[in-house]
Amino acid sequence: MLGVIGGSGFYTFFGSDARAISLDTPYGEPSAPITVGTVGDHEVAFLPRHGAGHEFSPHTVPYRANMWALRALGVRRIFGPCAVGSLTPDLGPGAMVVPDQLVDRTSGRDDTYFDSGGIHVGFADPYCPTLRAAAADLPGVVDGGTMVVVQGPRFSTRAESRWFASQGFSLVNMTGYPEAVLARELEMCYAAIALVTDVDAGIDSGSAVRAVDVFAEFERNMVPFKKLMHEAIDRVELEQSCTHCQPHDGVQLPFDLP
């Protein structure tokens, strides 16, 4: 089963024929019931990251519960669509990007399942190359870029934006971490697909970023963004063959994965 975790403004993925599944986990309930439907030949589980009514801010999303619930349901490969700000004039609103790197600038988030046992996962390349290729090879999609993940819920200052840009980062986001590393710990393939909703304050000398504008831009691009998601899913092989996202080979874990 494939998974899709919808970001800001991305709260539904199927019609009324999808079935809803409520799950509990050792880490509490996920953001919302998971809906399961089909896209082409794939069975797909959809979970709105921020809840069905956007009740979770980026720093309060129950990331561990979300990823655990998807794994328990049978999901082994996940696309994580998300809204991002641009840190370069080359990427304007409406651009769709498949990042290949991330930088964590969050704080205080529960970002591991391994609080004991001395377990360490490789994370040099945080995204699944197979899933990335399925989306990045589509027409009009920008392949590659570094996404810096900030704590939120506030937007960056102009100085922070300029600093991020000076480091070579191209996108800024609030939810890409710890989602990606939790997927890796659960041996699930994961790839982010980013929709640019704004040019960040330090890059655009005009008005500062406003939440209402971000949501409006996401809404304007929702139809082509969902179309991109469907096309990417259609390009994923039915059988999982990736070994990049299985870091626990030969390792004795302190608990069984769901």
Side-chain angles (χ1 to χ4, degrees):
M1 186 184 294
L2 290 178
V4 174
I5 303 177
S8 297
F10 196 155
Y11 308 123
T12 61
F13 197 54
F14 303 112
S16 59
D17 56 337
R19 68 184 192 275
I21 300 174
S22 296
L23 294 174
D24 199 4
T25 79
Y27 307 95
E29 295 181 353
S31 298
I34 299 169
T35 55
V36 178
T38 58
V39 175
D41 294 328
H42 288 284
E43 188 175 32
V44 177
F46 175 78
L47 175 64
R49 181 183 292 117
H50 295 280
H54 205 103
E55 54 267 42
F56 293 102
S57 291
H59 65 297
T60 64
V61 170
Y63 294 102
R64 291 197 295 181
N66 286 351
M67 307 308 283
W68 190 276
L70 288 169
R71 166 90 191 193
L73 195 59
V75 171
R76 296 296 182 268
R77 293 172 289 181
I78 295 174
F79 283 116
C82 57
V84 300
S86 171
L87 294 169
T88 169
D90 296 336
L91 296 173
M96 300 182 194
V97 186
V98 180
D100 59 351
Q101 279 294 321
L102 70 78
V103 172
D104 171 31
R105 293 288 300 171
T106 66
S107 61
R109 299 186 182 187
D110 294 323
D111 61 354
T112 182
Y113 295 104
F114 300 115
D115 293 321
S116 64
I119 305 300
H120 308 274
V121 299
F123 202 54
D125 297 297
Y127 301 116
C128 172
T130 303
L131 289 186
R132 282 196 70 258
D137 290 344
L138 291 169
V141 175
V142 178
D143 182 3
T146 296
M147 182 168 73
V148 57
V149 185
V150 299
Q151 177 70 356
R154 70 170 178 86
F155 294 115
S156 302
T157 67
R158 294 186 192 277
E160 287 169 334
S161 294
R162 290 193 293 267
W163 176 40
F164 295 150
S166 73
Q167 301 305 303
F169 310 154
S170 52
L171 306 169
V172 59
N173 165 264
M174 298 180 188
T175 57
Y177 188 90
E179 203 167 87
V181 72
L182 294 174
R184 183 64 53 84
E185 288 193 346
L186 293 179
E187 294 195 325
M188 294 191 293
C189 295
Y190 179 93
I193 303 179
L195 172 64
V196 175
T197 57
D198 60 275
V199 177
D200 224 44
I203 311 305
D204 182 356
S205 60
S207 60
V209 180
R210 300 191 311 157
V212 64
D213 298 327
V214 169
F215 285 112
E217 184 64 30
F218 204 98
E219 182 63 29
R220 277 193 291 271
N221 288 280
M222 183 53 60
V223 171
F225 198 42
K226 284 187 176 181
K227 181 175 182 290
L228 169 67
M229 293 303 309
H230 279 260
E231 292 173 345
I233 290 170
D234 282 337
R235 291 170 55 89
V236 176
E237 297 291 337
L238 290 178
E239 295 298 325
Q240 185 180 18
S241 59
C242 173
T243 58
H244 175 85
C245 304
Q246 297 179 356
H248 302 315
D249 285 347
V251 176
Q252 181 65 45
L253 300 180
F255 56 81
D256 292 331
L257 299 183

